[in-house]
Amino acid sequence: MHERHAMFDEALDIIRLLWQGGYQNYDGRYLKLEDARIFDLPDTLPTLAVAVSGPKSVALAAEHGDGLFAVEPKGELVDGYRDAGGTGPLYCEAPLAWAPTEEAAVTAAHATNAWSVTGWKVMAELPNPLNFEAAAATVREQDIREQFACGPDVERHLEVIGQFTDAGFDHVALMNAGPDQDGFFDFFESTLRPRLLSAGSR
């Protein structure tokens, strides 16, 4: 894990270097560049939100990133980032699965996203799709129900999203693992979005 973080550190250095424009060289312990250049830099550089799972990656996010990104509603990630001097936005991904019924949503999320409930530490160690499949084989539908907002109940969706906002995250990406994307968008526009806006105005 130490080597992985060191490689991540160098990769972030390289991104910043290339964003300066022109031809760049980099001679790190793990990564090297020779006359590398991004030819079409945007007028405004994108926000570099660094994915985190624990104290070491949080420290990298505070030092090298413009923000933080997480997939678990852990307040200690937010607190650690702020304590380390991080001042950027706090992004997260809330696991939702919309369908007309809870059962249909659970079945769909279990079929396509069972691996996601194994936790960041497990996912970080899985090297290929076969390993993801093996890890997902231990996940029960009840595990999906516990982590995902499944079905049409807006209160459950608000509860799952609220776990992240209560932890301090201020930018929430809604990841729909349900079987009907158009249905989810309709649900979002007609039901979920108004409730989120109402909650945000209080």
Side-chain angles (χ1 to χ4, degrees):
M1 186 63 76
H2 172 73
E3 184 176 84
R4 180 179 296 161
H5 282 117
M7 293 175 70
F8 193 19
D9 193 343
E10 290 189 9
L12 293 168
D13 282 341
I14 287 172
I15 292 170
R16 294 291 190 197
L17 185 65
L18 291 172
W19 281 356
Q20 293 177 19
Y23 290 97
Q24 301 291 345
N25 298 295
Y26 185 88
D27 187 17
R29 180 177 178 184
Y30 301 99
L31 305 175
K32 299 181 186 301
L33 287 182
E34 183 175 347
D35 290 338
R37 177 181 177 183
I38 298 176
F39 282 87
D40 297 310
L41 282 169
D43 293 333
T44 301
L45 293 173
T47 298
L48 183 60
V50 176
V52 302
S53 60
K56 290 183 179 179
S57 53
V58 166
L60 284 174
E63 181 179 357
H64 295 284
D66 302 318
L68 170 148
F69 179 85
V71 295
E72 296 175 305
K74 294 182 176 180
E76 60 265 30
L77 299 176
V78 172
D79 294 339
Y81 177 70
R82 295 300 188 214
D83 291 344
T87 60
L90 305 160
Y91 295 91
C92 65
E93 182 179 270
L96 313 178
W98 184 89
T101 68
E102 180 181 342
E103 287 304 317
V106 171
T107 299
H110 188 261
T112 61
N113 285 265
W115 54 269
S116 68
V117 305
T118 59
W120 183 260
K121 289 183 179 180
V122 173
M123 290 189 288
E125 298 299 328
L126 300 176
N128 59 52
L130 289 177
N131 296 103
F132 274 86
E133 288 181 13
T138 66
V139 176
R140 306 164 300 158
E141 288 194 347
Q142 182 58 33
D143 300 321
I144 296 292
R145 283 188 173 89
E146 290 172 2
Q147 290 199 31
F148 279 74
C150 293
D153 183 4
V154 69
E155 299 300 333
R156 175 60 179 153
H157 287 265
L158 292 169
E159 179 185 1
V160 169
I161 294 167
Q163 294 173 357
F164 289 90
T165 56
D166 289 346
F169 293 94
D170 51 28
H171 290 69
V172 183
L174 307 181
M175 192 273 296
N176 176 45
D180 180 0
Q181 296 301 326
D182 289 337
F184 171 73
F185 283 119
D186 290 341
F187 166 73
F188 175 78
E189 282 296 329
S190 67
T191 307
L192 182 56
R193 185 171 183 268
R195 291 290 302 275
L196 290 171
L197 291 175
S198 176
S201 65
R202 291 200 292 269

